[in-house]
Amino acid sequence: MQQDHPLVRDLFPDLVTELIALLEAEGERELAVCAWDLRLVEECACGDGFCQSFRTAAHPSGQPYGIGHRCVPLLPAQGLMCLDVVDGRIMYVEIIDRPPLHRRTTP
């Protein structure tokens, strides 16, 4: 069930704040609103040290997203961020060549 997956904002609050600001700067207001409620469904398993990407919804690995898919490249101060969006829903957050994300520990 989707609610079993942690909210990205609880794990990486700085990332979500940055993601919202970048989306708003690109004129992607609806996606900026959606970014607040993203859940971390699965971290990328590629094993590359420069990759910190993650899925926000279940999707079979290696399968195309199909109709309704678009990529939303963002311009962060460091590294690369690109979103896979399907029908207005953020499905995947690609994070490449950035300083390591630090998980917030919960009390």
Side-chain angles (χ1 to χ4, degrees):
M1 177 173 228
Q2 186 72 359
Q3 270 60 22
D4 293 338
H5 300 289
L7 288 164
V8 176
R9 71 175 183 246
D10 290 342
L11 299 173
F12 307 112
D14 294 339
L15 174 66
V16 171
T17 299
E18 180 182 16
L19 185 57
I20 290 169
L22 290 169
L23 286 165
E24 288 177 347
E26 290 295 321
E28 297 282 357
R29 178 75 178 127
E30 292 83 13
L31 291 179
V33 170
C34 294
W36 181 250
D37 291 321
L38 290 178
R39 292 190 177 269
L40 194 148
V41 172
E42 180 182 21
E43 294 182 56
C44 181
C46 72
D48 291 331
F50 56 82
C51 178
Q52 300 179 80
S53 305
F54 57 90
R55 294 189 188 287
T56 62
H59 184 78
S61 182
Q63 298 296 312
Y65 285 107
I67 296 173
H69 172 256
R70 67 185 178 111
C71 289
V72 179
L74 301 172
L75 299 170
Q78 289 184 289
L80 170 112
M81 290 177 72
C82 188
L83 308 180
D84 283 309
V85 177
V86 178
D87 295 328
R89 181 176 181 195
I90 300 169
M91 303 290 284
Y92 190 78
V93 179
E94 183 178 20
I95 302 172
I96 304 292
D97 287 331
R98 290 177 51 96
L101 295 173
H102 297 286
R103 283 184 195 260
R104 182 199 298 181
T105 56
T106 55

